[in-house]
Amino acid sequence: MSDVHFTVVPYQTCVEEVIAFRNANRELTRDRRYFEWRYERRPCRQTAMIVWGVDAQGRKVAAASLIPHDFYVLDGVYPVGLLGDISVAPECRGRGVATRMLQFLQQDPALEALHACVVLPNDEATHSLERAGWRQATTIARLVKIVDVGPRLRNRFGERRAIVGVSRAINLLARFTSLDGWYPPQAPYHVAETGEFDHGFDELWDEIPKRGRILALRNRSNLHWRYHEHPTVRYRTFEVRHEGRLRGYVVFHVADDVAVVDDFLAVDATVGPWLIKEFLAHVRRGRLAADIHVRYNAGSFLAIPWTRFGFVRRRDFQRVMVSAPRVDRSPGFPSEEGFWFVTAGDKDV
């Protein structure tokens, strides 16, 4: 549709229009509270922007959001735009409008203030992004571990008394054939679940070796906004501390008998395995879930060894795509897998 033209405006100038258009063209609707959290309250000084596609009659027929977040990129902290809420009116779909909108965005002066743009797209949006010149930086894998076979056995064989004993035996065998059944303690760690993010999270973030890498900020203010203030999901935080200092954490939520790990961090390679071991024990003790799912880019430099603890990688994955036309012409914004650390929580939805 060559009669559609595009413009970029600050989110504050069109809040109600953004909410109405997005909800009219998406299956999952969101209320005003969600938009305030996502667009306005994040701890980044840069203003969220909206790309509008407008037809010859002046009707808004396409939109996309560009929401800046602070990232550590190679040698320091820079604003990176997270692209999201890409929506096209039904009558304009399949006509290249989304591709043209993304191509327009890459050339707009609004991007001058951003170090790059990143998006975690669905399959439909991926094709438009590729045609617009975006490239794949990494992929988020999904790793799964069954911690309790009981629900599966009961679903198949019913509520039989023998099922309880069989389930316990299988669970015990599975535990002791994976690393968490015998991994030895490395230090007198203290573990606990808490819903707060204290100054220890800032100290941990400062200790993490980040130079030459790319990852969203995981300091206290960003974690508090992303997880504690989220308007629709109740996130939980599991901590490992040594002599009062935070050494690692797991942020997760429970849904449909699955503990979904949204984010994690460990100060070094010695703490990572112990963090997994204690988190598994925490899920089992509390009977929090039958399965645990972890989503992150498995080739990451900050990866900890989930697969050594019996987690199995599934075939499905989430692409992470990047556009950095200005940075690409200066000393690097690399897209290779090992430079990135991305978890499910980095998709701010």
Side-chain angles (χ1 to χ4, degrees):
M1 294 183 66
S2 58
D3 56 342
V4 175
H5 68 277
F6 304 95
T7 184
V8 178
V9 300
Y11 169 74
Q12 290 88 344
T13 66
C14 55
V15 175
E16 299 302 331
E17 288 180 286
V18 171
I19 296 174
F21 188 85
R22 188 260 182 217
N23 284 340
N25 292 283
R26 290 295 189 90
E27 292 183 7
L28 180 63
T29 60
R30 300 290 193 180
D31 60 16
R32 177 63 182 265
R33 188 167 59 105
Y34 170 85
F35 281 88
E36 288 177 351
W37 167 79
R38 187 179 180 190
Y39 286 76
E40 299 177 20
R41 296 214 308 269
R42 62 217 145 74
C44 179
R45 294 182 179 180
Q46 298 289 336
T47 300
M49 308 297 292
I50 305 298
V51 189
W52 286 112
V54 183
D55 68 9
Q57 288 72 45
R59 299 174 302 181
K60 292 182 170 64
V61 296
S65 303
L66 189 62
I67 308 175
H69 291 266
D70 289 328
F71 271 58
Y72 188 93
V73 181
L74 303 181
D75 61 358
V77 177
Y78 302 94
V80 169
L82 264 62
L83 185 68
D85 286 341
I86 303 171
S87 305
V88 178
E91 64 273 17
C92 298
R93 294 172 188 170
R95 303 184 183 182
V97 174
T99 300
R100 290 179 52 222
M101 178 169 63
L102 295 168
Q103 290 171 334
F104 170 85
L105 174 63
Q106 286 183 283
Q107 304 302 320
D108 193 88
L111 268 67
E112 293 287 354
L114 300 175
H115 215 59
C117 296
V118 176
V119 62
L120 282 66
N122 56 29
D123 289 339
E124 183 179 356
T126 297
H127 301 303
S128 294
L129 290 160
E130 289 174 338
R131 288 192 292 268
W134 291 60
R135 65 178 186 268
Q136 183 170 294
T138 184
T139 57
I140 298 178
R142 181 163 66 102
L143 281 67
V144 176
K145 181 179 177 71
I146 300 172
V147 294
D148 183 6
V149 299
R152 286 177 170 82
L153 293 180
R154 289 192 293 271
N155 287 339
R156 182 164 184 176
F157 300 107
E159 296 288 343
R160 300 180 184 180
R161 182 177 299 180
I163 294 299
V164 176
V166 173
S167 299
R168 289 176 180 172
I170 295 175
N171 291 339
L172 190 63
L173 178 63
R175 179 184 174 188
F176 284 99
T177 54
S178 70
L179 192 59
D180 65 300
W182 55 270
Y183 188 81
Q186 304 295 310
Y189 291 113
H190 173 73
V191 299
E193 183 178 321
T194 174
E196 297 297 327
F197 297 97
D198 62 18
H199 291 290
F201 287 84
D202 283 335
E203 295 171 359
L204 176 63
W205 171 253
D206 290 339
E207 286 188 69
I208 297 296
K210 301 177 287 293
R211 188 166 184 82
R213 310 299 184 177
I214 305 171
L215 67 165
L217 261 62
R218 284 165 167 80
N219 56 11
R220 181 189 185 191
S221 59
N222 278 273
L223 291 172
H224 181 85
W225 164 78
R226 187 177 295 280
Y227 299 114
H228 186 74
E229 295 185 2
H230 198 284
T232 62
V233 181
R234 178 181 175 264
Y235 291 100
R236 304 162 71 162
T237 308
F238 179 78
E239 303 177 353
V240 169
R241 293 180 183 261
H242 175 55
E243 296 181 348
R245 299 177 66 192
L246 183 66
R247 302 288 82 194
Y249 68 81
V250 172
V251 177
F252 69 104
H253 71 278
V254 178
D256 298 326
D257 211 19
V258 175
V260 180
V261 174
D262 298 279
D263 197 30
F264 61 88
L265 210 57
V267 69
D268 57 39
T270 64
V271 177
W274 190 249
L275 175 66
I276 303 174
K277 174 184 172 69
E278 289 298 326
F279 178 66
L280 286 169
H282 179 69
V283 172
R284 289 191 178 101
R285 280 194 304 267
R287 297 182 178 179
L288 302 182
D291 295 3
I292 302 176
H293 292 193
V294 184
R295 290 188 293 154
Y296 72 105
N297 62 320
S300 154
F301 74 102
L302 283 179
I304 58 177
W306 296 96
T307 54
R308 290 173 57 196
F309 285 80
F311 283 79
V312 177
R313 183 168 181 167
R314 294 293 182 91
R315 291 184 178 181
D316 57 303
F317 63 90
Q318 168 77 67
R319 290 180 176 85
V320 179
M321 301 187 72
V322 61
S323 173
R326 293 171 180 80
V327 180
D328 283 345
R329 293 194 292 269
S330 64
F333 187 90
S335 62
E336 289 81 3
E337 177 101 2
F339 288 95
W340 291 78
F341 177 65
V342 190
T343 68
D346 287 319
K347 189 170 185 176
D348 59 340
V349 295

